[in-house]
């Protein structure tokens, strides 16, 4: 799927195959030992807006930009964006200053923080 999207010049994103799968089918696959990932189910119409200290207002259509993204890899290892969002929330981080190539990470981290009911830090990219 990812290779096909990249070959077509489309930014890769999950196609939603298992998004609303029957829980009994999912349980059967897990019980059978099939590999799986845990994804964040992006709410329909979700937008993430930040007031970046360097760039000003930045916003994303979350569903169109990233779709349902991985939180836990099939190896059982959590992904970076999940870890740092949980870490920022648990440590009460109020300001994040980082390079501009991390700007798009803010989208996923914002969704995770919102789902946790945690405040978002102020960002500067």
């Amino acid at each position: 799927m990812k290779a096909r999207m990249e070959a077509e010049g489309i930014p890769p994103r999950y196609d939603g195959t298992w998004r609303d799968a029957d829980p009994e089918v999912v349980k059967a696959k897990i019980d059978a030992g099939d590999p799986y990932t845990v994804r964040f189910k992006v709410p329909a119409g979700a937008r993430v807006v930040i007031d970046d200290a360097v760039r000003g207002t930045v916003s994303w259509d979350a569903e169109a930009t990233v779709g349902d993204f991985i939180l836990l890899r099939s190896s059982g290892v959590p992904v970076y964006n999940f870890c740092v969002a949980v870490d920022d929330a648990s440590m009460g981080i109020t300001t994040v200053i980082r390079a501009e190539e991390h700007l798009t990470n803010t989208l996923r981290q914002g969704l995770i923080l919102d789902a946790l009911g945690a405040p978002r830090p102020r960002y500067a990219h």
Side-chain angles (χ1 to χ4, degrees):
M1 174 175 52
K2 182 178 178 181
R4 178 186 54 79
M5 289 177 168
E6 287 175 342
E8 293 173 5
I10 302 168
R13 64 185 283 267
Y14 178 58
D15 68 0
T17 300
W18 289 93
R19 184 177 218 268
D20 297 310
D22 180 327
E24 291 301 317
V25 173
V26 173
K27 183 180 181 326
K29 289 197 143 304
I30 291 171
D31 291 348
D34 288 1
Y36 64 93
T37 61
V38 175
R39 291 182 177 270
F40 184 96
K41 190 173 186 177
V42 175
R47 291 198 67 75
V48 173
V49 180
I50 64 164
D51 180 22
D52 189 272
V54 175
R55 298 178 170 277
T57 301
V58 181
S59 66
W60 298 269
D61 174 338
E63 194 175 12
T65 305
V66 295
D68 297 344
F69 55 92
I70 293 175
L71 296 176
L72 191 68
R73 295 179 181 96
S74 60
S75 64
V77 175
V79 299
Y80 167 80
N81 285 307
F82 180 62
C83 293
V84 298
V86 170
D87 190 50
D88 287 352
S90 67
M91 293 180 64
I93 299 300
T94 59
T95 306
V96 173
I97 302 170
R98 57 188 175 193
E100 89 178 79
E101 56 265 19
H102 286 281
L103 181 62
T104 56
N105 290 333
T106 309
L107 165 58
R108 292 172 183 86
Q109 293 163 16
L111 289 166
I112 293 165
L113 290 166
D114 293 351
L116 293 172
R120 292 186 199 165
R122 175 124 165 99
Y123 294 98
H125 293 90

